[in-house]
Amino acid sequence: MPQASTLAKAQPAQGVKNVPGTKGAMGAQNCPVTKCLAVIGGKDKPLILFLIARGVNHFGALHRQSGEISKHLLTQNLRQLEGDGLLHRKVFVQGFRASPASGRI
């Protein structure tokens, strides 16, 4: 029968210094997972990023497919993601044109 192994106490990686007043080798403020969750964490941001990755890139389509996210909250989340550098917004100017068939301008 194999013997049960014991876990050694975790040691900090070489070159990583303990930050005073924090737990662990790197500290919470330097942890890449903590930083990632601070940017994309929350209830709606993962869904928004998923929809954008699938090609849904218009506000109205995002609102329809996201379910019960209000327009205000969707706008707020998109602005935060843009501010964090995860999204780039491009505004297309769309105007009305009179068609030649209408006869009126």
Side-chain angles (χ1 to χ4, degrees), residues 22-42 45 84 86:
T22 61
K23 294 182 179 180
M26 294 179 61
Q29 71 272 14
N30 296 326
C31 176
V33 175
T34 302
K35 288 180 181 181
C36 178
L37 289 176
V39 172
I40 66 166
K45 286 181 184 178
D84 291 331
L86 292 177

Side-chain angles (χ1 to χ4, degrees), residues 51-52 55-67 71 74:
L51 290 172
I52 290 171
V56 181
N57 56 5
H58 295 284
F59 182 85
L62 279 170
H63 183 252
R64 281 190 301 276
Q65 293 189 22
S66 62
K71 288 182 180 181
L74 179 59

Side-chain angles (χ1 to χ4, degrees), residues 46-57:
L47 175 61
I48 293 168
L49 289 171
F50 171 75
L51 290 172
I52 290 171
R54 300 279 312 244
V56 181
N57 56 5

Side-chain angles (χ1 to χ4, degrees), residues 15 19 29 41-42 53 59-60 62 65-68 75-76 92 103-104:
V19 178
Q29 71 272 14
F59 182 85
L62 279 170
Q65 293 189 22
S66 62
E68 299 190 14
T75 300
Q76 185 179 15
F92 294 98
R104 293 189 230 174

